[in-house]
């Protein structure tokens, strides 16, 4: 908020400094004044001309450029610029005549008499310097306004893109959470028929997981330790309904360094292993390992392959994995690698995710 407030005053401050520098240049850097003492009326004229340039700058910046040039009325913009140049030079000559500046300048340059080259005694002359500076002021005004519009449009596009990404992430996350809880509740329902006490423990574990999802994941990131605790609860919950033929292993990094991570990002890979890697009659194995190497986080998930189950990560594995890929693209673009091996030599389905957490 403080940086935003400071940025509001940067542009006006730059403009004040620029006009101050231009005013000092008009006052101090006058080559003609090195040879003669210029009359006071000359400086009055310079002050009036300076005010005309300031007014022309802002009229062009706030009226002609946005209302004519930016709306495609290029011909009218050129007409407005041409008329403004004529008005500024005409007012410049009018002020010179009113102050009798040509006569005074004539006397200042030629006190001994004679007519200076290019100057008509008793009347104004064409001020090439005023014309060049008028063109410069118009050019700078147009350029500054165009750059500011480009920056504003770029900021608007960035804000819209950010809003789009935020909305999409919220939508994807909203899809993942009900998907997980729907499957888990089905498991608990089946467990109540077999063992009420285990079902009660499962409900307690699920309530703790729901508190995590509802209250700990709303800021967009969570700590790795909390995410791993959530995974551990999920695995413990799933183990309640497994038979002795299923071996489940879960490894956490030791020691672990807490880093921020997107919540519910690792769960779909583990959920996929339990969905496709468990058999009621055949021996099966699920292996989940999370490792840390500095800022690099690795997830390895292995599960036994069964010929009667589809194991493609991109096909019919539910909306969770598809959305996880999309979340990775949005949140960790260029910072992750996801490798999927559908059948290893050990007859296992392997998912290997490498993520840069910093």
């Amino acid at each position: 908020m403080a940086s935003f407030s400071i940025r509001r005053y940067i542009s006006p401050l730059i403009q004040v400094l620029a006009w101050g520098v231009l005013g000092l240049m008009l006052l101090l850097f006058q080559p003609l004044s090195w040879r003669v003492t210029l009359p006071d009326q000359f400086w009055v004229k310079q002050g009036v001309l300076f005010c005309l340039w300031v007014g022309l700058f802002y009229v062009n910046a706030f009226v002609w450029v946005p209302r004519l040039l930016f709306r495609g009325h290029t011909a009218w913009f050129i007409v407005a610029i041409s008329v403004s140049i004529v008005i500024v030079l005409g007012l410049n000559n009018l002020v010179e005549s009113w102050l009798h500046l040509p006569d005074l300048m004539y006397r200042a340059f030629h006190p001994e008499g004679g007519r200076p080259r290019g100057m008509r005694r008793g009347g104004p002359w064409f001020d090439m310097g005023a014309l060049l500076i008028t063109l410069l002021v118009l050019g700078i005004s147009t350029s500054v306004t165009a750059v500011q519009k480009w920056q504003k449009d770029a900021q608007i596009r960035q804000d819209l893109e950010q809003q789009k990404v935020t909305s999409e992430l919220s939508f994807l996350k909203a899809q993942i959470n009900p998907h997980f809880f729907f499957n888990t509740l089905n498991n608990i329902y089946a467990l109540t028929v077999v063992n009420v006490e285990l079902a009660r423990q499962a409900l307690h574990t699920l309530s703790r997981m729901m508190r995590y999802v509802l209250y700990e994941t709303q800021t967009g990131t969570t700590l790795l330790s909390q995410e791993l605790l959530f995974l551990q609860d999920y695995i413990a919950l799933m183990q309640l309904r497994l038979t002795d033929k299923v071996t489940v292993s879960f490894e956490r990094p030791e020691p672990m360094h807490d880093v921020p991570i997107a919540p519910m990002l690792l769960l779909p890979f583990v959920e996929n292993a339990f969905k496709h890697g468990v058999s009621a009659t055949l021996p099966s194995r699920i292996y989940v390992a999370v490792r840390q190497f500095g800022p690099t986080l690795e997830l390895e998930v292995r599960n036994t392959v069964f010929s009667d189950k589809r194991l493609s990560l991109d096909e019919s594995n539910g909306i969770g994995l598809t959305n996880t890929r999309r979340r990775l693209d949005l949140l960790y673009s260029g910072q992750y690698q996801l490798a999927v091996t559908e059948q290893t030599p050990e007859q296992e389905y392997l998912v290997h995710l490498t993520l840069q957490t910093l």
Side-chain angles (χ1 to χ4, degrees):
M1 184 65 68
S3 61
F4 175 75
S5 301
I6 294 174
R7 281 162 48 186
R8 288 181 54 189
Y9 299 101
I10 289 180
S11 179
L13 180 60
I14 292 177
Q15 294 183 37
V16 170
L17 292 176
W19 287 120
V21 171
L22 179 58
L24 288 176
M25 290 177 61
L26 292 176
L27 180 65
L28 300 178
F29 298 98
Q30 290 291 336
L32 296 179
S33 64
W34 297 347
R35 295 181 294 168
V36 297
T37 300
L38 297 177
D40 294 338
Q41 288 84 348
F42 174 81
W43 303 112
V44 173
K45 189 269 295 186
Q46 291 292 86
V48 172
L49 190 57
F50 178 77
C51 293
L52 289 174
W53 286 332
V54 173
L56 180 62
F57 181 94
Y58 291 107
V59 169
N60 183 59
F62 294 115
V63 180
W64 295 331
V65 173
R67 295 187 180 182
L68 297 178
L69 184 62
F70 290 164
R71 295 183 181 180
H73 306 305
T74 307
W76 284 109
F77 175 73
I78 294 175
V79 170
I81 292 296
S82 302
V83 171
S84 67
I85 294 175
V86 173
I87 291 176
V88 169
L89 296 181
L91 291 176
N92 180 51
N93 285 344
L94 184 63
V95 171
E96 288 179 351
S97 298
W98 178 64
L99 295 174
H100 306 287
L101 190 59
D103 288 334
L104 295 175
M105 294 292 291
Y106 172 80
R107 295 170 187 171
F109 277 93
H110 297 275
E112 72 284 354
R115 183 171 297 175
R117 180 182 302 176
M119 182 183 297
R120 182 171 61 86
R121 184 175 181 181
W125 65 92
F126 182 75
D127 195 340
M128 179 61 69
L131 173 62
L132 293 178
I133 295 181
T134 301
L135 292 174
L136 180 63
V137 168
L138 288 171
I140 294 176
S141 175
T142 304
S143 301
V144 169
T145 307
V147 170
Q148 289 178 341
K149 183 179 185 300
W150 175 78
Q151 292 177 336
K152 183 178 179 180
D153 292 345
Q155 184 64 43
I156 291 175
R157 288 194 298 268
Q158 182 179 354
D159 292 342
L160 290 176
E161 183 66 24
Q162 182 63 37
Q163 292 175 7
K164 177 183 176 183
V165 170
T166 301
S167 300
E168 187 170 357
L169 285 173
S170 299
F171 175 73
L172 294 177
K173 184 178 175 182
Q175 282 186 305
I176 290 175
N177 296 345
H179 174 64
F180 157 67
F181 286 115
F182 178 77
N183 290 341
T184 304
L185 286 174
N186 279 340
N187 296 336
I188 295 177
Y189 175 77
L191 190 61
T192 57
V193 180
V194 180
N195 191 318
V196 176
E197 183 61 30
L198 288 179
R200 184 180 303 171
Q201 295 178 16
L203 284 174
H204 177 72
T205 303
L206 181 61
S207 66
R208 182 170 63 221
M209 297 171 70
M210 290 181 66
R211 283 195 299 270
Y212 169 77
V213 172
L214 293 176
Y215 301 112
E216 302 295 334
T217 65
Q218 302 306 309
T219 59
T221 60
T222 187
L223 292 177
L224 177 62
S225 59
Q226 295 177 334
E227 183 73 3
L228 293 184
L229 181 60
F230 179 81
L231 279 183
Q232 185 173 322
D233 283 343
Y234 174 81
I235 293 173
L237 189 61
M238 298 301 293
Q239 282 183 291
L240 292 176
R241 67 181 183 89
L242 299 179
T243 66
D244 295 337
K245 293 182 178 295
V246 182
T247 302
V248 180
S249 302
F250 178 55
E251 295 183 5
R252 298 172 47 130
E254 294 293 343
M256 183 186 66
H257 304 286
D258 250 344
V259 292
I261 186 175
M264 306 283 290
L265 188 66
L266 307 180
L267 173 66
F269 301 109
V270 179
E271 185 181 20
N272 183 70
F274 278 98
K275 181 178 181 180
H276 298 282
V278 174
S279 173
T281 57
L282 300 175
S284 54
R285 173 176 178 263
I286 295 177
Y287 173 75
V288 180
V290 180
R291 308 181 186 93
Q292 271 186 309
F293 304 96
T296 302
L297 181 69
E298 289 187 0
L299 171 69
E300 180 182 343
V301 180
R302 294 175 177 267
N303 61 268
T304 306
V305 173
F306 298 99
S307 57
D308 59 337
K309 295 187 178 182
R310 296 181 63 89
L311 296 173
S312 174
L313 187 65
D314 295 317
E315 296 179 2
S316 56
N317 283 327
I319 61 177
L321 287 173
T322 302
N323 287 347
T324 299
R325 276 189 180 274
R326 182 59 179 156
R327 290 184 74 197
L328 285 169
D329 290 334
L330 291 172
L331 295 173
Y332 297 97
S333 177
Q335 297 178 333
Y336 82 94
Q337 291 182 346
L338 179 61
V340 177
T341 305
E342 298 199 5
Q343 189 164 350
T344 67
E346 294 80 15
Q347 301 300 311
E348 290 181 329
Y349 183 81
L350 170 63
V351 176
H352 188 267
L353 173 66
T354 302
L355 189 69
Q356 301 299 321
T357 57
L358 295 181

